[in-house]
Amino acid sequence: MLRFVVGAEDLLRTRFALSPIFELHHLIRALASPHHQGVPEAWLARLRPRFAPLRADPALDAVLALHMPRSGATFFSPPPRGLAQTIEDDLAALRAAPPATVRAEIDFYLRRRDIGDAARAVLTGPDVPGRLAELLAAAWVALLAEDWPRLRLLCERDVVHRVGELGRAGWAAALAGLHPKVRWRDGGIDLLVRARRETGLDGAGLLLVPSVFVWPEIAVFADEPWPKAIVYPARGVGTLLEHGPPEAPAYLSALLGRSRALLLVTLADPASTSQLARAFGMATGAVGDHLAVLHQARLVERARSGRSVLYRRTPLGDALVG
């Protein structure tokens, strides 16, 4: 069991973040592995034709070599900074990774993995971070950029839920639903993973990162010099992966119009205007107009959360969708 010892300063500095590059690494491994890593076959089948050209690049074998079943190099999937994290931020952090840390992690995996000459040449050549960043940038465009806005919405809504739990009942409640392997006990966080040690957060706080493709497991960042982090499955991810994003039924589209019907179906959980606009590729003003109509019709309600206004279906909206 790994245990994070948490002080009062850590509680104040603990925050949520998103990690696009973490999702990309999981998806790449799922596409390269017959075990699927928790990603449904239907999702993988859709992406395999796009993955095939990437598979021919030895840099992809180098990426795969830096993973083992229960661990992976941290320098090319560093903990994110916050909820506004983009793939560009992640790739910039990869390119700027400390050279000594990069070489130490690569050497660790080269000693433990049997890899081909082409992948080894990538990992022992000049500017390894830049070469891997180039491959990952291409993989992002091919595999995940199209789906990311909807996946990001799912993760952001998980954060809204956790923050509400934290304000309502404290850390025990906020952590209780993250995952069966995560629990709050006696001023610390127990993680039921293979690592066996205790480590303090030392006033730096903890990153909590909701994820789509880590499901049904968790991932933990616990090694120096990286920030401590827990990556956990976002709420609703199982349904999304198995059934795809929600769609508005034909009767609802005929009654409300396609865009308003889609927004109403999506608002089973709270979301802001900007989150919805980003997820569905719509103008923020257009989403705001649609939400105003739904609100006037008492199909959605709104409430302020920090700087954002969140919308959610009312019981009347639930009945109409149902």
Side-chain angles (χ1 to χ4, degrees):
M1 180 180 72
L2 175 65
R3 178 171 171 82
F4 287 140
V5 179
V6 181
E9 191 76 11
D10 296 309
L11 296 181
L12 293 174
R13 294 186 177 180
T14 291
R15 66 261 187 224
F16 290 88
L18 301 182
S19 180
I21 202 167
F22 183 90
E23 306 290 2
L24 179 62
H25 278 297
H26 264 264
L27 187 55
I28 287 173
R29 296 205 305 279
L31 285 161
S33 167
H35 302 296
H36 296 176
Q37 305 284 331
V39 183
E41 173 59 31
W43 194 290
L44 299 176
R46 175 172 62 89
L47 295 178
R48 282 197 182 100
R50 308 180 196 179
F51 183 63
L54 298 168
R55 197 68 185 88
D57 189 334
L60 192 132
D61 284 326
V63 166
L64 295 172
L66 296 176
H67 288 280
M68 292 194 296
R70 296 184 181 275
S71 71
T74 304
F75 79 88
F76 72 166
S77 183
R81 288 174 173 261
L83 291 172
Q85 191 87 358
T86 66
I87 188 63
E88 290 77 19
D89 296 330
D90 286 327
L91 295 176
L94 165 56
R95 294 185 180 100
T101 301
V102 171
R103 181 47 50 197
E105 290 198 292
I106 289 175
D107 289 346
F108 175 89
Y109 285 94
L110 287 179
R111 290 193 299 269
R112 289 161 174 80
R113 299 297 306 272
D114 182 16
I115 66 173
D117 292 341
R120 184 176 291 272
V122 172
L123 293 175
T124 56
D127 191 22
V128 178
R131 182 71 175 90
L132 298 183
E134 180 183 9
L135 179 279
L136 292 170
W140 176 266
V141 172
L143 303 176
L144 199 49
E146 179 183 325
D147 293 316
W148 177 243
R150 290 192 298 274
L151 303 185
R152 176 173 175 168
L153 175 62
L154 183 79
C155 293
E156 288 175 334
R157 293 164 90 166
D158 178 274
V159 172
V160 171
H161 171 78
R162 305 293 174 193
V163 170
E165 288 294 286
L166 180 60
R168 181 184 65 83
W171 279 104
L175 293 171
L178 288 186
H179 194 275
K181 293 183 178 180
V182 181
R183 66 184 182 185
W184 174 267
R185 179 179 63 85
D186 297 335
I189 301 169
D190 291 342
L191 300 150
L192 303 181
V193 296
R194 293 184 68 181
R196 296 289 186 271
R197 71 180 190 273
E198 181 174 285
T199 183
L201 299 182
D202 301 327
L206 179 69
L207 279 172
L208 296 172
V209 184
S211 167
V212 175
F213 295 121
V214 76
W215 180 84
E217 294 297 328
I218 61 170
V220 181
F221 293 88
D223 297 324
E224 300 294 341
W226 313 104
K228 308 297 191 298
I230 301 172
V231 185
Y232 64 92
R235 296 171 68 247
V237 65
T239 300
L240 174 69
L241 291 177
E242 292 293 344
H243 303 292
E247 296 182 1
Y251 75 86
L252 201 60
S253 295
L255 178 65
L256 300 175
R258 181 181 178 278
S259 295
R260 287 175 192 164
L262 180 60
L263 293 173
L264 187 62
V265 168
T266 302
L267 286 171
D269 292 309
S272 69
T273 303
S274 59
Q275 288 171 340
L276 294 167
R278 191 165 51 235
F280 296 112
M282 300 168 64
T284 302
V287 172
D289 291 342
H290 291 315
L291 291 175
V293 172
L294 295 173
H295 182 260
Q296 187 175 17
R298 300 184 182 178
L299 297 177
V300 301
E301 57 190 3
R302 59 192 180 196
R304 181 164 291 281
S305 176
R307 298 180 180 179
S308 299
V309 175
L310 302 179
Y311 290 82
R312 183 174 185 168
R313 282 202 313 251
T314 63
L316 178 60
D318 289 339
L320 186 59
V321 170

